[in-house]
Amino acid sequence: MTPSSANSLRTSLAVTLSVWRALFLREANTRLSAGRGAAVWVLGEPILQTIIMLIIFTFLRIKVVSGIDVLAWLIIGLTFFPVFKRPGSAAQQAISANQTLFAYRQVRPVDTVFVRAFLEGFLVLLVILVIGGGAVFLFAVDLLPDDPGMMAAAFLGLWLMGLGYGLVASVAVELIPEFGKIFGIMMTPLYMTSGAILPIHNISEPYRSWVLYNPMVHGLETARAGVSSYYHVIAGTDLAYLYQVALMTIFLGLALHVRFETKLLTQ
Amino acid sequence: MIIVDNLYKRYQTSHGPGKWVLEDVSFVIPRNVSVGLVGRNGAGKSTLLRLIGGVDKPNRGHVEHRCRVSWPMGFGGGLQPSLTGRQNAKFICRIHGHEDDIPERLAYIQAFAEIGDAFDEPVKTYSSGMKSRLQFGLSLAFDFDVYISDEVTSTGDASFKQKASQAFKDLVGKSSLIMVSHSDGTLKDFCTAGIWLDKGRAHWFDHIEDALTAYKDSLNL
């Protein structure tokens, strides 16, 4: 083929950007073409999950705090916790799933983690828009945000937390596979204490302060406050805390990727 | 030019580090010199190719490229089995920064590989010969100064071997090869220098015939 001088002059930024683009399209392609009706299931599966949980919890008639519709409270919890969980879990598996691609020097383990977190974040956003839109227009749930900026800030914070978790977990499970089991065990308590489905308003002190160490509580409460300005957030809610934990985790994850890159590529 | 300096490599096994596959391997491959790697099975030929290609990392020592080096072709490495040949090819074009001329490169790869409709089937359905046809086409679609071939031609049929050797001959003068092959004829056709791998050590020969002789003498002992 014809020689291209541009190829030899590519900066590392240009290489990284083209790798991200290629990986993103490849991942999206795999997600959308894996099996029958994959394109439908990509959004259908999380939407159905959320709807089933909604039905169950509506029948259970969980009592919730004043200032927000019960359904709106639940929908936020069920759709915003995955903003952390799905990118995090997908990114955790990124390195082992893309092992064959490290045959190309351009592709680095950290690239696969970033791309998966981006793709899942995008899909989760679509799920939120579909479920939120459906709830507002079909069932007249009061979900139109009073403060969209606050919701966006909560979304970004939870996503950054997922990215940080994915960066750390991807290295951890590659080097010490047993971590995969430990992270799996940790995820359910994290979910239950995040106030996503179980209200934590009526937990008595000092235990409520303990629950507030869970960074996701702050993201979910902020998202609810963004929907209804009358919503009573839990005392001690602080979105900055979520961002601080997220940025520290991202920093730790990046450091792990730099420190152990050779080990991740070595067989 | 490729500089291999003081290379050590061993693999991690389930019970601690394994034995050294390569020990204190050092050599310099000058520009435009094609090199054949010889040695018995398990001598570390593929390992050395993977280290030169930058796919795997050495435990000690380093490899320095002063030219563009291809990824190692051979044994289905670098192909995602669940994706089609075309999707794999697109991915490789993209990471090499050829977003703009993907259609031309795809046409070239498809024409070279000659695998027909299978180009749009998942790679996991390919035979080993079809895989090496695709891999070979893929790496030739990009301009490298050095191509690394791990017995890529050995699984092909007669017509593919013919085509591959023609492609190698066209590269002479522009690019060079580092290849592993168990066929004396192939090595003598394409390589000038040789490296004989034995007991973890590498022995450099300026002429491939001497490397083959040394290798064969060691087998008779």
Side-chain angles (χ1 to χ4, degrees):
Chain A
M1 293 293 277
T2 48
S4 67
S5 52
N7 197 24
S8 52
L9 295 172
R10 285 204 297 165
T11 61
S12 45
L13 180 68
V15 174
T16 304
L17 288 178
S18 63
V19 166
W20 284 0
R21 188 191 156 90
L23 278 173
F24 188 87
L25 291 167
R26 199 198 71 90
E27 284 278 353
N29 206 333
T30 330
R31 288 294 299 272
L32 295 177
S33 62
R36 249 179 305 198
V40 177
W41 285 113
V42 162
L43 291 184
E45 190 190 340
I47 289 174
L48 275 178
Q49 267 174 2
T50 314
I51 291 174
I52 290 169
M53 291 298 273
L54 276 175
I55 293 170
I56 293 173
F57 277 86
T58 318
F59 280 123
L60 286 178
R61 291 173 190 270
I62 295 265
K63 283 206 173 76
V64 260
V65 279
S66 62
I68 192 168
D69 186 351
V70 181
L71 266 179
W73 187 89
L74 258 180
I75 290 174
I76 300 285
L78 284 171
T79 56
F80 269 66
F81 188 78
V83 176
F84 154 73
K85 193 196 165 185
R86 284 173 62 102
S89 308
Q92 183 179 332
Q93 306 300 327
I95 297 179
S96 53
N98 288 296
Q99 202 74 52
T100 44
L101 302 179
F102 301 136
Y104 309 103
R105 286 182 299 274
Q106 292 87 341
V107 184
R108 298 178 142 200
V110 70
D111 294 326
T112 65
V113 175
F114 271 121
V115 166
R116 281 209 161 185
F118 274 119
L119 179 63
E120 285 300 322
F122 178 67
L123 291 176
V124 169
L125 182 62
L126 285 182
V127 171
I128 290 176
L129 292 177
V130 169
I131 291 182
V136 169
F137 295 111
L138 298 178
F139 299 99
V141 181
D142 191 12
L143 257 179
L144 285 176
D146 286 347
D147 187 345
M150 208 185 248
M151 283 198 96
F155 181 92
L156 182 65
L158 287 168
W159 180 79
L160 285 173
M161 193 62 230
L163 174 66
Y165 168 83
L167 283 167
V168 174
S170 57
V171 177
V173 300
E174 265 316 291
L175 297 182
I176 304 165
E178 287 76 12
F179 268 122
K181 300 188 207 306
I182 293 172
F183 291 145
I185 296 169
M186 268 169 44
M187 201 48 100
T188 314
L190 217 51
Y191 186 41
M192 291 306 171
T193 60
S194 69
I197 45 173
L198 300 177
I200 48 179
H201 289 77
N202 26 16
I203 299 178
S204 56
E205 286 289 1
Y207 307 110
R208 198 169 64 192
S209 310
W210 295 2
V211 170
L212 285 174
Y213 281 112
N214 182 340
M216 266 57 78
V217 172
H218 305 267
L220 295 178
E221 285 298 293
T222 307
R224 284 170 182 144
V227 166
S228 163
S229 37
Y230 299 107
Y231 177 62
H232 300 300
V233 296
I234 299 169
T237 300
D238 181 10
L239 190 62
Y241 172 72
L242 171 66
Y243 274 83
Q244 282 161 5
V245 177
L247 292 181
M248 279 192 310
T249 324
I250 290 173
F251 180 78
L252 173 68
L254 289 174
L256 286 174
H257 270 273
V258 171
R259 169 65 183 81
F260 291 110
E261 186 179 40
T262 317
K263 212 156 196 180
L264 294 174
L265 292 174
T266 309
Q267 290 174 350
Chain B
M1 186 156 85
I2 295 174
I3 300 163
V4 172
D5 184 28
N6 200 18
L7 219 53
Y8 282 78
K9 177 69 187 174
R10 63 180 169 191
Y11 290 99
Q12 205 66 33
T13 67
S14 51
H15 31 267
K19 68 184 200 61
W20 291 107
V21 181
L22 298 173
E23 272 183 282
D24 195 14
V25 170
S26 301
F27 53 82
V28 174
I29 303 179
R31 209 180 147 71
N32 276 329
V33 172
S34 291
V35 187
L37 254 61
V38 294
R40 38 180 306 168
N41 293 135
K45 301 187 293 296
S46 296
T47 301
L48 183 55
L49 283 189
R50 290 166 56 81
L51 293 174
I52 294 175
V55 181
D56 206 343
K57 304 284 178 193
N59 298 90
R60 242 186 284 167
H62 71 274
V63 178
E64 193 182 327
H65 297 158
R66 293 197 184 159
C67 53
R68 284 171 300 171
V69 180
S70 85
W71 65 88
M73 342 170 210
F75 299 115
L79 296 174
Q80 188 81 9
S82 61
L83 295 180
T84 68
R86 185 185 300 279
Q87 287 167 333
N88 271 292
K90 273 190 192 169
F91 176 79
I92 293 165
C93 290
R94 288 200 179 103
I95 61 169
H96 285 88
H98 292 288
E99 186 70 42
D100 310 329
D101 53 355
I102 284 182
E104 292 95 86
R105 280 177 206 263
L106 281 183
Y108 174 86
I109 294 162
Q110 196 169 7
F112 191 94
E114 278 185 51
I115 50 174
D117 296 340
F119 195 54
D120 288 306
E121 296 292 331
V123 168
K124 64 184 170 206
T125 64
Y126 287 19
S127 72
S128 48
M130 285 156 78
K131 262 187 223 162
S132 43
R133 278 169 174 260
L134 178 60
Q135 283 209 310
F136 203 68
L138 279 170
S139 44
L140 286 180
F142 303 97
D143 303 293
F144 292 112
D145 298 315
V146 179
Y147 290 85
I148 301 178
S149 155
D150 191 353
E151 292 200 80
V152 75
T153 54
S154 63
T155 46
D157 55 23
S159 80
F160 175 61
K161 277 184 181 156
Q162 176 85 40
K163 195 165 188 169
S165 75
Q166 189 55 48
F168 279 152
K169 285 197 176 99
D170 293 343
L171 290 175
V172 171
K174 282 189 296 181
S175 309
S176 61
L177 278 167
I178 302 174
M179 71 189 306
V180 164
S181 176
H182 285 286
S183 140
D184 290 7
T186 314
L187 288 170
K188 281 179 190 156
D189 276 356
F190 300 113
C191 304
T192 43
I195 293 170
W196 171 43
L197 282 177
D198 183 46
K199 300 187 181 78
R201 309 276 169 173
H203 307 273
W204 174 273
F205 296 89
D206 284 338
H207 299 287
I208 184 74
E209 285 85 359
D210 299 338
L212 284 167
T213 316
Y215 167 52
K216 290 202 172 124
D217 285 349
S218 77
L219 292 182
N220 292 335
L221 287 175

